[in-house]
Each structure stands twice: as C-alpha cells, then as structure tokens.
C-alpha cells in the first residue's frame, strides 16, 4: 500500500510544447516592449522608380494642356448676344387682319422692345382666337401681348395665371387693370380696346409694362394697327405662325 501511494504522488509533469518560431502561424511576432516599430526603407532603385512615375504623370499633364490650349485660343467666346430674329410685327399683323376680324395691335416701340415672335392663333384648343406678340424688354425681361375680340372670364384668368386684381395703372391716357401673382409675374389688362381685349403679361418691371402699354394705346387710337409701315429688310412670311383653322 505504501508503494502504491508513492507512485501516484510522484507523477511526472508532461513536458511543455516547444514554442513556435516567429512567422510559423502566418503572423509576425509583436515588437519587443519599448522598441519603436520598424520603418520600411526604400532602396535607391525603388525610390528612383517612384520619382520617375510622378515626373512622368506631370509631364503627361503638361503635354495634354499644351495640346488643347491652342484649340481653346483659336475658338474665342462669341462677343454678340446671339441670333436675334427680325420680326416685322406690322407686316404680320396685316396678314392676320383678314382672319382676325379686328385690327391687330402693332405698337411702334422703336429700338427699346424687340419682338421675338408675332402670330395669329386660331384658338383651336382654347376656343378664343388670339393675336400674340412676344417682346424682349430693355432689361432683357419678357412681356407677351395678347389681343382678342372673344375674351371670356375663364380665358382671361388663364392668361393672367389666376392673378387677382391689385389696382389700376394709367398708361397712354387709359386705365389698365393691374393683376399681380406676387411671384414676379404680373399683367396689365385693357378691357375696352376698340372692341377687343388686350393683355400684357410677363415678368418685366412695371415701368416697362407702362411703356409698352402706352405704345399699344397710341397704336389703337391712331387706327394704324396692321396698316403701320413695315420696317425695311424684314419679311412677314417668315414670322407668320397661325394655328390650323378649326374644323367646321
């Protein structure tokens, strides 16, 4: 019994497993405590290759700029305001007078307002035949002139973008109804314009509206309308754009 207890108490401790060498598990051994990390050092050849790549990119960029620069310099930006159509409002109004049933307004605005279209719309969609002229103002805004003998409340409200009446404004010795959307769009309406209704609508300033409205009144009162003289060098045929005639 004594021998048995001695053997069990004197069991040998198994030997420790040998330590794996650094890198055997695919991971680097941590740096020793207190030692700075090792910084990689490029060799002279590697540094030369890196510098050559950067210098090559800079040279390629300079060559590309030098190649395109002459093309840009040989095509300067245009100094004009672009193409401006020569619209002869009086001549187009003369052509439209026969189907309009009234004398379309062709106000003489001199060189201050430039027309960019003039046309007779037969009103196929709206049911209201309309004489229309678009004007560019001296401040490069826009005012559309619309004239008809068949105005109705629905059509008028559509043309002024549902703007309420905010007052009246005198132009050409006549009181025009002023409507303002409050968002930059405004309209001046002359309800009794020689048996027709005239609407000026757009985003221009009120003084520009007043100037154009006064020219419209002068034209209506003179009775010239479409009978106004045509400016030289322009043709009416190029500006007439009537809508298709309504089906009977």
């Amino acid at each position: 019994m004594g021998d048995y207890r001695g053997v069990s108490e004197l069991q040998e401790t198994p030997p420790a497993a040998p330590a794996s060498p650094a890198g055997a598990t695919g991971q680097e051994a941590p740096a020793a405590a207190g030692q700075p990390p090792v910084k990689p050092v490029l060799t002279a050849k590697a540094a030369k290759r890196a510098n050559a790549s950067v210098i090559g990119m800079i040279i390629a960029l300079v060559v590309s700029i030098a190649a395109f620069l002459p093309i840009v310099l040989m095509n300067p930006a245009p100094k004009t305001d672009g193409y401006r159509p020569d619209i002869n409002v009086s001549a187009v109004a003369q052509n439209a007078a026969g189907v309009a049933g009234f004398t379309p307004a062709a106000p003489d605005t001199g060189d201050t307002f430039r027309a960019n279209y003039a046309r007779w719309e037969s009103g196929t969609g709206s049911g209201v035949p309309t004489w229309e002229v678009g004007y560019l103002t001296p401040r490069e805004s826009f005012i559309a002139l619309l004239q008809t003998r068949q105005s109705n409340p629905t059509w008028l409200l559509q043309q002024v973008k549902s703007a309420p009446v905010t007052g009246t404004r005198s132009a050409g010795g006549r009181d025009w109804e002023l409507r303002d959307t409050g968002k930059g769009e405004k309209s001046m309406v002359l309800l009794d314009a020689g048996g027709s209704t005239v609407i000026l609508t757009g985003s221009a300033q009120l003084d520009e509206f007043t100037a154009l409205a006064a020219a419209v009144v002068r034209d209506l009162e003179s009775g010239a309308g479409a009978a106004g003289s045509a400016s030289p060098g322009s043709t009416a045929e190029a500006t007439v754009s009537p809508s298709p005639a309504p089906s009977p």
Side-chain angles (χ1 to χ4, degrees):
M1 294 295 291
D3 293 338
Y4 176 76
R5 287 193 301 270
V7 172
S8 60
E9 293 174 357
L10 296 176
Q11 290 178 351
E12 295 182 358
T13 303
S20 300
T25 62
Q27 299 180 351
E28 296 183 357
Q35 295 295 327
V38 178
K39 296 182 179 179
V41 179
L42 292 176
T43 63
K45 291 183 178 180
K48 185 176 181 181
R49 286 196 300 269
N51 291 334
S53 298
V54 175
I55 294 173
M57 292 173 60
I58 296 175
I59 294 175
L61 180 61
V62 172
V63 171
S64 299
I65 295 175
F68 284 102
L69 190 59
I71 299 176
V72 175
L73 295 178
M74 287 188 296
N75 293 275
K79 297 181 180 180
T80 64
D81 294 333
Y83 173 70
R84 293 180 178 178
D86 184 14
I87 306 299
N88 189 331
V89 179
S90 295
V92 182
Q94 283 182 327
N95 288 350
V99 295
F102 62 88
T103 302
D108 182 7
T109 60
D111 296 329
T112 55
F113 292 81
R114 303 190 307 273
N116 61 359
Y117 67 82
R119 62 195 177 210
W120 172 255
E121 291 290 345
S122 62
T124 303
S126 65
V128 179
T130 310
W131 166 244
E132 301 179 357
V133 187
Y135 288 100
L136 296 178
T137 73
R139 298 193 186 100
E140 299 299 325
S141 293
F142 178 77
I143 299 177
L145 182 155
L146 302 98
Q147 183 182 13
T148 184
R149 291 186 66 181
Q150 301 181 29
S151 175
N152 59 67
T154 301
W155 176 85
L156 193 150
L157 202 60
Q158 290 174 344
Q159 305 312 311
V160 300
K161 299 177 177 58
S162 301
V165 178
T166 57
T168 59
R169 190 170 182 86
S170 178
R174 299 289 302 274
D175 287 335
W176 293 66
E177 188 179 83
L178 180 61
R179 292 171 175 260
D180 197 334
T181 63
K183 299 178 181 179
E185 294 282 336
K186 57 185 69 69
S187 302
M188 288 178 61
V189 182
L190 186 60
L191 298 175
D192 184 14
S196 65
T197 297
V198 176
I199 300 175
L200 301 179
T201 183
S203 56
Q205 299 296 319
L206 275 177
D207 60 331
E208 294 180 315
F209 269 91
T210 303
L212 183 57
V216 170
V217 172
R218 287 194 299 268
D219 181 77
L220 294 173
E221 291 182 346
S222 69
S229 60
S231 60
S234 61
T235 58
E237 290 76 12
T239 58
V240 177
S241 55
S243 298
S247 302

